[in-house]
Amino acid sequence: MVRWLATLSRYDQLWFCWCCARSQRFQRQSWIRLVSRSGDGYCYALIAFLLSATAPESGGSFSLALAIGFSIEIPLFIAIKRCLKRPRPYQTLSITSVIQAHDQFSFPSGHTTAAFLFAGIASSFYPAWTPIWIIWASMVGISRVLLGVHYPGDIGAGAILGTTLAYLALLFTN
């Protein structure tokens, strides 16, 4: 593990343990899992379809921006995870996660990256809903910490990466 990631891991473990100590009651609530699941890939396709159907004048551009963004995001976050190989909290700490992650590496959070990518692009096409997109993306990230599969730093990195990719996807489509 590279030096900066080791330093980040020490602080992240402290923050993660602090969050876990205060989140026991949230972990048992099904809405936390539902928020996390709303960050699964098929949900983006469904929401994009519904938005495009309700606003067909911008639907094609919106879908194109999403396609560009996700075609960059998916291989990029997988490559970063495989390069850095940061273990998940339940692999290194004495905790039991509420859910099992789809892959073994933690940094950055793929769910958070995708949620902020979607929120950034959706905010550009549907600006009246911007607060909802940002709150939802943030909740997806927070849910991943509360469920025990990500450190807070994974969420921060995912939010930055997703926002940056949304900006780039929008540049490519304009």
Side-chain angles (χ1 to χ4, degrees):
M1 196 175 330
V2 292
R3 180 180 234 160
W4 68 268
L5 193 54
T7 301
L8 173 65
S9 289
R10 281 195 308 277
Y11 286 109
D12 251 0
Q13 286 177 358
L14 292 173
W15 276 105
F16 179 82
C17 291
W18 184 86
C19 290
C20 281
R22 286 151 183 80
S23 69
Q24 295 299 320
R25 69 175 185 262
F26 291 115
Q27 291 177 344
R28 290 184 293 274
Q29 296 179 8
S30 60
W31 67 270
I32 292 293
R33 290 185 197 140
L34 184 61
V35 168
S36 179
R37 299 275 327 251
S38 74
D40 290 350
Y42 64 88
C43 291
Y44 300 117
L46 178 63
I47 294 168
F49 174 77
L50 293 173
L51 289 172
S52 295
T54 59
E57 66 280 353
S58 61
S61 298
F62 175 63
S63 297
L64 177 61
L66 286 175
I68 290 170
F70 282 112
S71 68
I72 298 169
E73 182 257 349
I74 294 169
L76 181 61
F77 94 82
I78 290 171
I80 293 170
K81 282 186 176 209
R82 288 184 180 163
C83 178
L84 297 177
K85 296 181 180 178
R86 183 180 192 193
R88 292 190 179 271
Y90 59 81
Q91 295 168 324
T92 57
L93 301 173
S94 297
I95 65 138
T96 302
S97 66
V98 178
I99 61 172
Q100 290 296 312
H102 299 293
D103 60 50
Q104 70 184 96
F105 302 121
S106 175
F107 187 90
S109 166
H111 275 74
T112 307
T113 302
F116 275 88
L117 168 63
F118 187 91
I121 293 172
S123 292
S124 177
F125 286 91
Y126 307 97
W129 291 39
T130 296
I132 292 170
W133 303 130
I134 301 304
I135 290 168
W136 166 77
S138 299
M139 288 179 62
V140 167
I142 291 167
S143 74
R144 304 300 285 173
V145 174
L146 294 176
L147 294 171
V149 293
H150 280 290
Y151 292 105
D154 303 338
I155 304 311
I160 292 168
L161 182 60
T163 301
T164 302
L165 291 173
Y167 177 76
L168 290 174
L170 291 167
L171 281 179
F172 287 133
T173 57
N174 289 334

PDB file of all heavy atoms in Angstrom, residues 2-35:
ATOM      1  N   VAL A   2       0.578   2.209  -0.833  1.00  0.00           N
ATOM      2  CA  VAL A   2       1.379   3.419  -0.898  1.00  0.00           C
ATOM      3  C   VAL A   2       1.250   4.204   0.400  1.00  0.00           C
ATOM      4  O   VAL A   2       0.271   4.070   1.134  1.00  0.00           O
ATOM      5  CB  VAL A   2       0.985   4.279  -2.124  1.00  0.00           C
ATOM      6  CG1 VAL A   2       1.371   3.600  -3.417  1.00  0.00           C
ATOM      7  CG2 VAL A   2      -0.484   4.616  -2.123  1.00  0.00           C
ATOM      8  N   ARG A   3       2.259   5.026   0.671  1.00  0.00           N
ATOM      9  CA  ARG A   3       2.368   5.715   1.958  1.00  0.00           C
ATOM     10  C   ARG A   3       1.144   6.587   2.280  1.00  0.00           C
ATOM     11  O   ARG A   3       0.628   6.552   3.393  1.00  0.00           O
ATOM     12  CB  ARG A   3       3.640   6.553   1.968  1.00  0.00           C
ATOM     13  CG  ARG A   3       3.833   7.301   3.236  1.00  0.00           C
ATOM     14  CD  ARG A   3       5.101   8.107   3.189  1.00  0.00           C
ATOM     15  NE  ARG A   3       5.869   7.737   4.345  1.00  0.00           N
ATOM     16  CZ  ARG A   3       7.151   7.925   4.478  1.00  0.00           C
ATOM     17  NH1 ARG A   3       7.840   8.439   3.504  1.00  0.00           N
ATOM     18  NH2 ARG A   3       7.755   7.579   5.577  1.00  0.00           N
ATOM     19  N   TRP A   4       0.690   7.397   1.305  1.00  0.00           N
ATOM     20  CA  TRP A   4      -0.448   8.281   1.585  1.00  0.00           C
ATOM     21  C   TRP A   4      -1.712   7.485   1.883  1.00  0.00           C
ATOM     22  O   TRP A   4      -2.535   7.890   2.695  1.00  0.00           O
ATOM     23  CB  TRP A   4      -0.677   9.281   0.454  1.00  0.00           C
ATOM     24  CG  TRP A   4      -1.146   8.675  -0.842  1.00  0.00           C
ATOM     25  CD1 TRP A   4      -0.372   8.251  -1.882  1.00  0.00           C
ATOM     26  CD2 TRP A   4      -2.498   8.401  -1.217  1.00  0.00           C
ATOM     27  NE1 TRP A   4      -1.151   7.733  -2.876  1.00  0.00           N
ATOM     28  CE2 TRP A   4      -2.468   7.814  -2.509  1.00  0.00           C
ATOM     29  CE3 TRP A   4      -3.735   8.586  -0.608  1.00  0.00           C
ATOM     30  CZ2 TRP A   4      -3.612   7.423  -3.182  1.00  0.00           C
ATOM     31  CZ3 TRP A   4      -4.874   8.193  -1.289  1.00  0.00           C
ATOM     32  CH2 TRP A   4      -4.810   7.623  -2.564  1.00  0.00           C
ATOM     33  N   LEU A   5      -1.818   6.325   1.260  1.00  0.00           N
ATOM     34  CA  LEU A   5      -2.992   5.493   1.507  1.00  0.00           C
ATOM     35  C   LEU A   5      -2.924   4.854   2.892  1.00  0.00           C
ATOM     36  O   LEU A   5      -3.936   4.698   3.573  1.00  0.00           O
ATOM     37  CB  LEU A   5      -3.138   4.436   0.419  1.00  0.00           C
ATOM     38  CG  LEU A   5      -4.462   3.699   0.358  1.00  0.00           C
ATOM     39  CD1 LEU A   5      -5.644   4.663   0.271  1.00  0.00           C
ATOM     40  CD2 LEU A   5      -4.489   2.754  -0.811  1.00  0.00           C
ATOM     41  N   ALA A   6      -1.712   4.525   3.335  1.00  0.00           N
ATOM     42  CA  ALA A   6      -1.544   3.982   4.690  1.00  0.00           C
ATOM     43  C   ALA A   6      -1.921   5.028   5.735  1.00  0.00           C
ATOM     44  O   ALA A   6      -2.589   4.712   6.737  1.00  0.00           O
ATOM     45  CB  ALA A   6      -0.115   3.499   4.883  1.00  0.00           C
ATOM     46  N   THR A   7      -1.522   6.267   5.508  1.00  0.00           N
ATOM     47  CA  THR A   7      -1.879   7.350   6.426  1.00  0.00           C
ATOM     48  C   THR A   7      -3.390   7.574   6.409  1.00  0.00           C
ATOM     49  O   THR A   7      -4.021   7.698   7.458  1.00  0.00           O
ATOM     50  CB  THR A   7      -1.141   8.652   6.037  1.00  0.00           C
ATOM     51  OG1 THR A   7       0.264   8.405   6.077  1.00  0.00           O
ATOM     52  CG2 THR A   7      -1.487   9.787   6.986  1.00  0.00           C
ATOM     53  N   LEU A   8      -3.963   7.606   5.217  1.00  0.00           N
ATOM     54  CA  LEU A   8      -5.406   7.751   5.086  1.00  0.00           C
ATOM     55  C   LEU A   8      -6.123   6.606   5.803  1.00  0.00           C
ATOM     56  O   LEU A   8      -7.105   6.827   6.508  1.00  0.00           O
ATOM     57  CB  LEU A   8      -5.817   7.774   3.614  1.00  0.00           C
ATOM     58  CG  LEU A   8      -7.317   7.758   3.319  1.00  0.00           C
ATOM     59  CD1 LEU A   8      -7.998   9.019   3.822  1.00  0.00           C
ATOM     60  CD2 LEU A   8      -7.558   7.580   1.832  1.00  0.00           C
ATOM     61  N   SER A   9      -5.604   5.404   5.666  1.00  0.00           N
ATOM     62  CA  SER A   9      -6.231   4.241   6.301  1.00  0.00           C
ATOM     63  C   SER A   9      -6.261   4.360   7.815  1.00  0.00           C
ATOM     64  O   SER A   9      -7.258   3.999   8.449  1.00  0.00           O
ATOM     65  CB  SER A   9      -5.511   2.959   5.894  1.00  0.00           C
ATOM     66  OG  SER A   9      -5.771   2.661   4.557  1.00  0.00           O
ATOM     67  N   ARG A  10      -5.187   4.866   8.413  1.00  0.00           N
ATOM     68  CA  ARG A  10      -5.170   5.019   9.874  1.00  0.00           C
ATOM     69  C   ARG A  10      -6.271   5.979  10.330  1.00  0.00           C
ATOM     70  O   ARG A  10      -7.019   5.692  11.265  1.00  0.00           O
ATOM     71  CB  ARG A  10      -3.805   5.509  10.344  1.00  0.00           C
ATOM     72  CG  ARG A  10      -2.756   4.416  10.404  1.00  0.00           C
ATOM     73  CD  ARG A  10      -1.536   4.825  11.203  1.00  0.00           C
ATOM     74  NE  ARG A  10      -0.933   6.088  10.796  1.00  0.00           N
ATOM     75  CZ  ARG A  10      -0.075   6.241   9.786  1.00  0.00           C
ATOM     76  NH1 ARG A  10       0.288   5.194   9.069  1.00  0.00           N
ATOM     77  NH2 ARG A  10       0.422   7.417   9.497  1.00  0.00           N
ATOM     78  N   TYR A  11      -6.357   7.132   9.665  1.00  0.00           N
ATOM     79  CA  TYR A  11      -7.385   8.108  10.029  1.00  0.00           C
ATOM     80  C   TYR A  11      -8.785   7.586   9.701  1.00  0.00           C
ATOM     81  O   TYR A  11      -9.729   7.783  10.463  1.00  0.00           O
ATOM     82  CB  TYR A  11      -7.145   9.448   9.334  1.00  0.00           C
ATOM     83  CG  TYR A  11      -5.995  10.200   9.929  1.00  0.00           C
ATOM     84  CD1 TYR A  11      -4.804  10.348   9.239  1.00  0.00           C
ATOM     85  CD2 TYR A  11      -6.091  10.764  11.201  1.00  0.00           C
ATOM     86  CE1 TYR A  11      -3.735  11.028   9.792  1.00  0.00           C
ATOM     87  CE2 TYR A  11      -5.030  11.452  11.769  1.00  0.00           C
ATOM     88  CZ  TYR A  11      -3.854  11.578  11.054  1.00  0.00           C
ATOM     89  OH  TYR A  11      -2.803  12.251  11.610  1.00  0.00           O
ATOM     90  N   ASP A  12      -8.887   6.934   8.564  1.00  0.00           N
ATOM     91  CA  ASP A  12     -10.172   6.383   8.158  1.00  0.00           C
ATOM     92  C   ASP A  12     -10.670   5.324   9.132  1.00  0.00           C
ATOM     93  O   ASP A  12     -11.862   5.240   9.409  1.00  0.00           O
ATOM     94  CB  ASP A  12     -10.068   5.779   6.754  1.00  0.00           C
ATOM     95  CG  ASP A  12     -10.800   6.599   5.721  1.00  0.00           C
ATOM     96  OD1 ASP A  12     -11.385   7.642   6.076  1.00  0.00           O
ATOM     97  OD2 ASP A  12     -10.790   6.179   4.559  1.00  0.00           O
ATOM     98  N   GLN A  13      -9.774   4.503   9.638  1.00  0.00           N
ATOM     99  CA  GLN A  13     -10.174   3.485  10.601  1.00  0.00           C
ATOM    100  C   GLN A  13     -10.708   4.134  11.874  1.00  0.00           C
ATOM    101  O   GLN A  13     -11.709   3.670  12.435  1.00  0.00           O
ATOM    102  CB  GLN A  13      -9.014   2.548  10.903  1.00  0.00           C
ATOM    103  CG  GLN A  13      -8.724   1.596   9.769  1.00  0.00           C
ATOM    104  CD  GLN A  13      -7.535   0.698  10.031  1.00  0.00           C
ATOM    105  OE1 GLN A  13      -6.870   0.786  11.057  1.00  0.00           O
ATOM    106  NE2 GLN A  13      -7.246  -0.176   9.064  1.00  0.00           N
ATOM    107  N   LEU A  14     -10.063   5.202  12.310  1.00  0.00           N
ATOM    108  CA  LEU A  14     -10.547   5.923  13.489  1.00  0.00           C
ATOM    109  C   LEU A  14     -11.938   6.502  13.242  1.00  0.00           C
ATOM    110  O   LEU A  14     -12.845   6.357  14.071  1.00  0.00           O
ATOM    111  CB  LEU A  14      -9.577   7.035  13.884  1.00  0.00           C
ATOM    112  CG  LEU A  14      -8.225   6.585  14.426  1.00  0.00           C
ATOM    113  CD1 LEU A  14      -7.288   7.780  14.609  1.00  0.00           C
ATOM    114  CD2 LEU A  14      -8.420   5.856  15.749  1.00  0.00           C
ATOM    115  N   TRP A  15     -12.122   7.172  12.095  1.00  0.00           N
ATOM    116  CA  TRP A  15     -13.420   7.748  11.757  1.00  0.00           C
ATOM    117  C   TRP A  15     -14.473   6.667  11.577  1.00  0.00           C
ATOM    118  O   TRP A  15     -15.623   6.816  12.006  1.00  0.00           O
ATOM    119  CB  TRP A  15     -13.332   8.590  10.477  1.00  0.00           C
ATOM    120  CG  TRP A  15     -12.860   9.978  10.744  1.00  0.00           C
ATOM    121  CD1 TRP A  15     -11.626  10.481  10.479  1.00  0.00           C
ATOM    122  CD2 TRP A  15     -13.599  11.034  11.344  1.00  0.00           C
ATOM    123  NE1 TRP A  15     -11.565  11.792  10.882  1.00  0.00           N
ATOM    124  CE2 TRP A  15     -12.762  12.159  11.413  1.00  0.00           C
ATOM    125  CE3 TRP A  15     -14.899  11.141  11.822  1.00  0.00           C
ATOM    126  CZ2 TRP A  15     -13.183  13.371  11.944  1.00  0.00           C
ATOM    127  CZ3 TRP A  15     -15.320  12.356  12.359  1.00  0.00           C
ATOM    128  CH2 TRP A  15     -14.464  13.448  12.404  1.00  0.00           C
ATOM    129  N   PHE A  16     -14.085   5.586  10.934  1.00  0.00           N
ATOM    130  CA  PHE A  16     -15.017   4.485  10.710  1.00  0.00           C
ATOM    131  C   PHE A  16     -15.492   3.922  12.049  1.00  0.00           C
ATOM    132  O   PHE A  16     -16.692   3.718  12.258  1.00  0.00           O
ATOM    133  CB  PHE A  16     -14.361   3.393   9.869  1.00  0.00           C
ATOM    134  CG  PHE A  16     -15.257   2.221   9.626  1.00  0.00           C
ATOM    135  CD1 PHE A  16     -16.202   2.253   8.615  1.00  0.00           C
ATOM    136  CD2 PHE A  16     -15.171   1.088  10.416  1.00  0.00           C
ATOM    137  CE1 PHE A  16     -17.048   1.176   8.400  1.00  0.00           C
ATOM    138  CE2 PHE A  16     -16.009   0.012  10.210  1.00  0.00           C
ATOM    139  CZ  PHE A  16     -16.953   0.051   9.196  1.00  0.00           C
ATOM    140  N   CYS A  17     -14.570   3.674  12.964  1.00  0.00           N
ATOM    141  CA  CYS A  17     -14.932   3.135  14.286  1.00  0.00           C
ATOM    142  C   CYS A  17     -15.814   4.112  15.052  1.00  0.00           C
ATOM    143  O   CYS A  17     -16.769   3.701  15.719  1.00  0.00           O
ATOM    144  CB  CYS A  17     -13.674   2.788  15.075  1.00  0.00           C
ATOM    145  SG  CYS A  17     -12.794   1.375  14.380  1.00  0.00           S
ATOM    146  N   TRP A  18     -15.525   5.398  14.928  1.00  0.00           N
ATOM    147  CA  TRP A  18     -16.346   6.417  15.572  1.00  0.00           C
ATOM    148  C   TRP A  18     -17.763   6.369  15.005  1.00  0.00           C
ATOM    149  O   TRP A  18     -18.740   6.399  15.748  1.00  0.00           O
ATOM    150  CB  TRP A  18     -15.718   7.797  15.364  1.00  0.00           C
ATOM    151  CG  TRP A  18     -16.441   8.907  16.060  1.00  0.00           C
ATOM    152  CD1 TRP A  18     -16.268   9.325  17.351  1.00  0.00           C
ATOM    153  CD2 TRP A  18     -17.455   9.751  15.497  1.00  0.00           C
ATOM    154  NE1 TRP A  18     -17.111  10.371  17.624  1.00  0.00           N
ATOM    155  CE2 TRP A  18     -17.846  10.657  16.504  1.00  0.00           C
ATOM    156  CE3 TRP A  18     -18.057   9.832  14.253  1.00  0.00           C
ATOM    157  CZ2 TRP A  18     -18.821  11.630  16.294  1.00  0.00           C
ATOM    158  CZ3 TRP A  18     -19.031  10.807  14.050  1.00  0.00           C
ATOM    159  CH2 TRP A  18     -19.402  11.684  15.064  1.00  0.00           C
ATOM    160  N   CYS A  19     -17.868   6.294  13.681  1.00  0.00           N
ATOM    161  CA  CYS A  19     -19.190   6.229  13.026  1.00  0.00           C
ATOM    162  C   CYS A  19     -19.939   4.958  13.429  1.00  0.00           C
ATOM    163  O   CYS A  19     -21.135   5.009  13.731  1.00  0.00           O
ATOM    164  CB  CYS A  19     -19.039   6.269  11.506  1.00  0.00           C
ATOM    165  SG  CYS A  19     -18.511   7.846  10.844  1.00  0.00           S
ATOM    166  N   CYS A  20     -19.248   3.830  13.423  1.00  0.00           N
ATOM    167  CA  CYS A  20     -19.892   2.553  13.750  1.00  0.00           C
ATOM    168  C   CYS A  20     -20.409   2.538  15.178  1.00  0.00           C
ATOM    169  O   CYS A  20     -21.477   1.979  15.454  1.00  0.00           O
ATOM    170  CB  CYS A  20     -18.928   1.396  13.522  1.00  0.00           C
ATOM    171  SG  CYS A  20     -18.789   0.956  11.792  1.00  0.00           S
ATOM    172  N   ALA A  21     -19.656   3.138  16.081  1.00  0.00           N
ATOM    173  CA  ALA A  21     -20.077   3.161  17.478  1.00  0.00           C
ATOM    174  C   ALA A  21     -21.383   3.945  17.644  1.00  0.00           C
ATOM    175  O   ALA A  21     -22.142   3.698  18.573  1.00  0.00           O
ATOM    176  CB  ALA A  21     -18.988   3.779  18.345  1.00  0.00           C
ATOM    177  N   ARG A  22     -21.642   4.875  16.752  1.00  0.00           N
ATOM    178  CA  ARG A  22     -22.839   5.706  16.841  1.00  0.00           C
ATOM    179  C   ARG A  22     -23.944   5.293  15.875  1.00  0.00           C
ATOM    180  O   ARG A  22     -24.993   5.910  15.849  1.00  0.00           O
ATOM    181  CB  ARG A  22     -22.457   7.160  16.579  1.00  0.00           C
ATOM    182  CG  ARG A  22     -21.719   7.753  17.767  1.00  0.00           C
ATOM    183  CD  ARG A  22     -20.751   8.842  17.373  1.00  0.00           C
ATOM    184  NE  ARG A  22     -20.027   9.316  18.540  1.00  0.00           N
ATOM    185  CZ  ARG A  22     -18.981   8.697  19.072  1.00  0.00           C
ATOM    186  NH1 ARG A  22     -18.546   7.574  18.555  1.00  0.00           N
ATOM    187  NH2 ARG A  22     -18.363   9.188  20.118  1.00  0.00           N
ATOM    188  N   SER A  23     -23.701   4.284  15.083  1.00  0.00           N
ATOM    189  CA  SER A  23     -24.666   3.955  14.027  1.00  0.00           C
ATOM    190  C   SER A  23     -25.345   2.606  14.209  1.00  0.00           C
ATOM    191  O   SER A  23     -26.015   2.141  13.293  1.00  0.00           O
ATOM    192  CB  SER A  23     -23.962   3.980  12.674  1.00  0.00           C
ATOM    193  OG  SER A  23     -23.054   2.907  12.576  1.00  0.00           O
ATOM    194  N   GLN A  24     -25.211   1.983  15.338  1.00  0.00           N
ATOM    195  CA  GLN A  24     -25.781   0.647  15.531  1.00  0.00           C
ATOM    196  C   GLN A  24     -27.279   0.604  15.244  1.00  0.00           C
ATOM    197  O   GLN A  24     -27.769  -0.320  14.620  1.00  0.00           O
ATOM    198  CB  GLN A  24     -25.506   0.146  16.953  1.00  0.00           C
ATOM    199  CG  GLN A  24     -24.039  -0.073  17.247  1.00  0.00           C
ATOM    200  CD  GLN A  24     -23.416  -1.121  16.342  1.00  0.00           C
ATOM    201  OE1 GLN A  24     -24.031  -2.122  16.046  1.00  0.00           O
ATOM    202  NE2 GLN A  24     -22.203  -0.873  15.885  1.00  0.00           N
ATOM    203  N   ARG A  25     -28.001   1.621  15.670  1.00  0.00           N
ATOM    204  CA  ARG A  25     -29.456   1.592  15.461  1.00  0.00           C
ATOM    205  C   ARG A  25     -29.813   1.776  13.985  1.00  0.00           C
ATOM    206  O   ARG A  25     -30.817   1.278  13.517  1.00  0.00           O
ATOM    207  CB  ARG A  25     -30.147   2.641  16.319  1.00  0.00           C
ATOM    208  CG  ARG A  25     -29.878   4.059  15.919  1.00  0.00           C
ATOM    209  CD  ARG A  25     -30.724   5.011  16.779  1.00  0.00           C
ATOM    210  NE  ARG A  25     -30.550   6.355  16.300  1.00  0.00           N
ATOM    211  CZ  ARG A  25     -29.721   7.239  16.831  1.00  0.00           C
ATOM    212  NH1 ARG A  25     -28.994   6.909  17.871  1.00  0.00           N
ATOM    213  NH2 ARG A  25     -29.630   8.449  16.334  1.00  0.00           N
ATOM    214  N   PHE A  26     -28.962   2.492  13.222  1.00  0.00           N
ATOM    215  CA  PHE A  26     -29.228   2.677  11.798  1.00  0.00           C
ATOM    216  C   PHE A  26     -28.996   1.392  11.012  1.00  0.00           C
ATOM    217  O   PHE A  26     -29.675   1.129  10.029  1.00  0.00           O
ATOM    218  CB  PHE A  26     -28.344   3.782  11.207  1.00  0.00           C
ATOM    219  CG  PHE A  26     -28.688   5.149  11.686  1.00  0.00           C
ATOM    220  CD1 PHE A  26     -27.792   5.870  12.458  1.00  0.00           C
ATOM    221  CD2 PHE A  26     -29.911   5.726  11.365  1.00  0.00           C
ATOM    222  CE1 PHE A  26     -28.105   7.139  12.898  1.00  0.00           C
ATOM    223  CE2 PHE A  26     -30.228   6.997  11.797  1.00  0.00           C
ATOM    224  CZ  PHE A  26     -29.321   7.712  12.573  1.00  0.00           C
ATOM    225  N   GLN A  27     -28.017   0.619  11.419  1.00  0.00           N
ATOM    226  CA  GLN A  27     -27.653  -0.576  10.671  1.00  0.00           C
ATOM    227  C   GLN A  27     -28.781  -1.589  10.590  1.00  0.00           C
ATOM    228  O   GLN A  27     -28.866  -2.358   9.646  1.00  0.00           O
ATOM    229  CB  GLN A  27     -26.410  -1.227  11.283  1.00  0.00           C
ATOM    230  CG  GLN A  27     -25.166  -0.399  11.081  1.00  0.00           C
ATOM    231  CD  GLN A  27     -23.958  -1.026  11.747  1.00  0.00           C
ATOM    232  OE1 GLN A  27     -24.078  -1.901  12.587  1.00  0.00           O
ATOM    233  NE2 GLN A  27     -22.788  -0.566  11.360  1.00  0.00           N
ATOM    234  N   ARG A  28     -29.649  -1.598  11.571  1.00  0.00           N
ATOM    235  CA  ARG A  28     -30.739  -2.563  11.590  1.00  0.00           C
ATOM    236  C   ARG A  28     -31.969  -2.079  10.823  1.00  0.00           C
ATOM    237  O   ARG A  28     -32.936  -2.814  10.672  1.00  0.00           O
ATOM    238  CB  ARG A  28     -31.113  -2.887  13.039  1.00  0.00           C
ATOM    239  CG  ARG A  28     -30.044  -3.704  13.749  1.00  0.00           C
ATOM    240  CD  ARG A  28     -30.489  -4.099  15.136  1.00  0.00           C
ATOM    241  NE  ARG A  28     -30.619  -2.966  16.045  1.00  0.00           N
ATOM    242  CZ  ARG A  28     -29.629  -2.450  16.756  1.00  0.00           C
ATOM    243  NH1 ARG A  28     -28.413  -2.952  16.651  1.00  0.00           N
ATOM    244  NH2 ARG A  28     -29.831  -1.440  17.563  1.00  0.00           N
ATOM    245  N   GLN A  29     -31.932  -0.855  10.366  1.00  0.00           N
ATOM    246  CA  GLN A  29     -33.092  -0.309   9.681  1.00  0.00           C
ATOM    247  C   GLN A  29     -33.012  -0.603   8.182  1.00  0.00           C
ATOM    248  O   GLN A  29     -31.993  -0.356   7.547  1.00  0.00           O
ATOM    249  CB  GLN A  29     -33.203   1.189   9.946  1.00  0.00           C
ATOM    250  CG  GLN A  29     -33.437   1.480  11.419  1.00  0.00           C
ATOM    251  CD  GLN A  29     -33.530   2.953  11.718  1.00  0.00           C
ATOM    252  OE1 GLN A  29     -33.560   3.771  10.831  1.00  0.00           O
ATOM    253  NE2 GLN A  29     -33.583   3.281  12.995  1.00  0.00           N
ATOM    254  N   SER A  30     -34.093  -1.098   7.640  1.00  0.00           N
ATOM    255  CA  SER A  30     -34.084  -1.529   6.245  1.00  0.00           C
ATOM    256  C   SER A  30     -33.941  -0.376   5.265  1.00  0.00           C
ATOM    257  O   SER A  30     -33.468  -0.583   4.150  1.00  0.00           O
ATOM    258  CB  SER A  30     -35.344  -2.332   5.935  1.00  0.00           C
ATOM    259  OG  SER A  30     -36.492  -1.542   6.161  1.00  0.00           O
ATOM    260  N   TRP A  31     -34.304   0.843   5.658  1.00  0.00           N
ATOM    261  CA  TRP A  31     -34.197   1.954   4.717  1.00  0.00           C
ATOM    262  C   TRP A  31     -32.743   2.266   4.378  1.00  0.00           C
ATOM    263  O   TRP A  31     -32.461   2.756   3.280  1.00  0.00           O
ATOM    264  CB  TRP A  31     -34.947   3.187   5.201  1.00  0.00           C
ATOM    265  CG  TRP A  31     -34.382   3.847   6.429  1.00  0.00           C
ATOM    266  CD1 TRP A  31     -34.699   3.582   7.723  1.00  0.00           C
ATOM    267  CD2 TRP A  31     -33.408   4.880   6.453  1.00  0.00           C
ATOM    268  NE1 TRP A  31     -33.973   4.385   8.565  1.00  0.00           N
ATOM    269  CE2 TRP A  31     -33.171   5.200   7.805  1.00  0.00           C
ATOM    270  CE3 TRP A  31     -32.696   5.569   5.474  1.00  0.00           C
ATOM    271  CZ2 TRP A  31     -32.258   6.181   8.202  1.00  0.00           C
ATOM    272  CZ3 TRP A  31     -31.789   6.549   5.867  1.00  0.00           C
ATOM    273  CH2 TRP A  31     -31.579   6.837   7.218  1.00  0.00           C
ATOM    274  N   ILE A  32     -31.806   1.961   5.272  1.00  0.00           N
ATOM    275  CA  ILE A  32     -30.387   2.173   4.975  1.00  0.00           C
ATOM    276  C   ILE A  32     -29.971   1.249   3.828  1.00  0.00           C
ATOM    277  O   ILE A  32     -29.272   1.670   2.902  1.00  0.00           O
ATOM    278  CB  ILE A  32     -29.518   1.905   6.221  1.00  0.00           C
ATOM    279  CG1 ILE A  32     -29.781   2.959   7.291  1.00  0.00           C
ATOM    280  CG2 ILE A  32     -28.045   1.869   5.865  1.00  0.00           C
ATOM    281  CD1 ILE A  32     -29.321   4.348   6.927  1.00  0.00           C
ATOM    282  N   ARG A  33     -30.409   0.026   3.878  1.00  0.00           N
ATOM    283  CA  ARG A  33     -30.105  -0.912   2.784  1.00  0.00           C
ATOM    284  C   ARG A  33     -30.773  -0.471   1.484  1.00  0.00           C
ATOM    285  O   ARG A  33     -30.190  -0.602   0.414  1.00  0.00           O
ATOM    286  CB  ARG A  33     -30.553  -2.320   3.153  1.00  0.00           C
ATOM    287  CG  ARG A  33     -29.712  -2.911   4.239  1.00  0.00           C
ATOM    288  CD  ARG A  33     -30.086  -4.350   4.498  1.00  0.00           C
ATOM    289  NE  ARG A  33     -29.534  -4.702   5.789  1.00  0.00           N
ATOM    290  CZ  ARG A  33     -30.156  -5.441   6.674  1.00  0.00           C
ATOM    291  NH1 ARG A  33     -31.323  -5.953   6.411  1.00  0.00           N
ATOM    292  NH2 ARG A  33     -29.593  -5.708   7.825  1.00  0.00           N
ATOM    293  N   LEU A  34     -31.976   0.039   1.592  1.00  0.00           N
ATOM    294  CA  LEU A  34     -32.693   0.512   0.409  1.00  0.00           C
ATOM    295  C   LEU A  34     -31.964   1.701  -0.233  1.00  0.00           C
ATOM    296  O   LEU A  34     -31.825   1.758  -1.456  1.00  0.00           O
ATOM    297  CB  LEU A  34     -34.127   0.896   0.783  1.00  0.00           C
ATOM    298  CG  LEU A  34     -35.030   1.331  -0.367  1.00  0.00           C
ATOM    299  CD1 LEU A  34     -35.193   0.211  -1.386  1.00  0.00           C
ATOM    300  CD2 LEU A  34     -36.376   1.766   0.167  1.00  0.00           C
ATOM    301  N   VAL A  35     -31.492   2.620   0.580  1.00  0.00           N
ATOM    302  CA  VAL A  35     -30.719   3.763   0.055  1.00  0.00           C
ATOM    303  C   VAL A  35     -29.465   3.247  -0.646  1.00  0.00           C
ATOM    304  O   VAL A  35     -29.133   3.679  -1.753  1.00  0.00           O
ATOM    305  CB  VAL A  35     -30.349   4.761   1.178  1.00  0.00           C
ATOM    306  CG1 VAL A  35     -29.331   5.771   0.703  1.00  0.00           C
ATOM    307  CG2 VAL A  35     -31.589   5.465   1.703  1.00  0.00           C
TER     308      VAL A  35
END
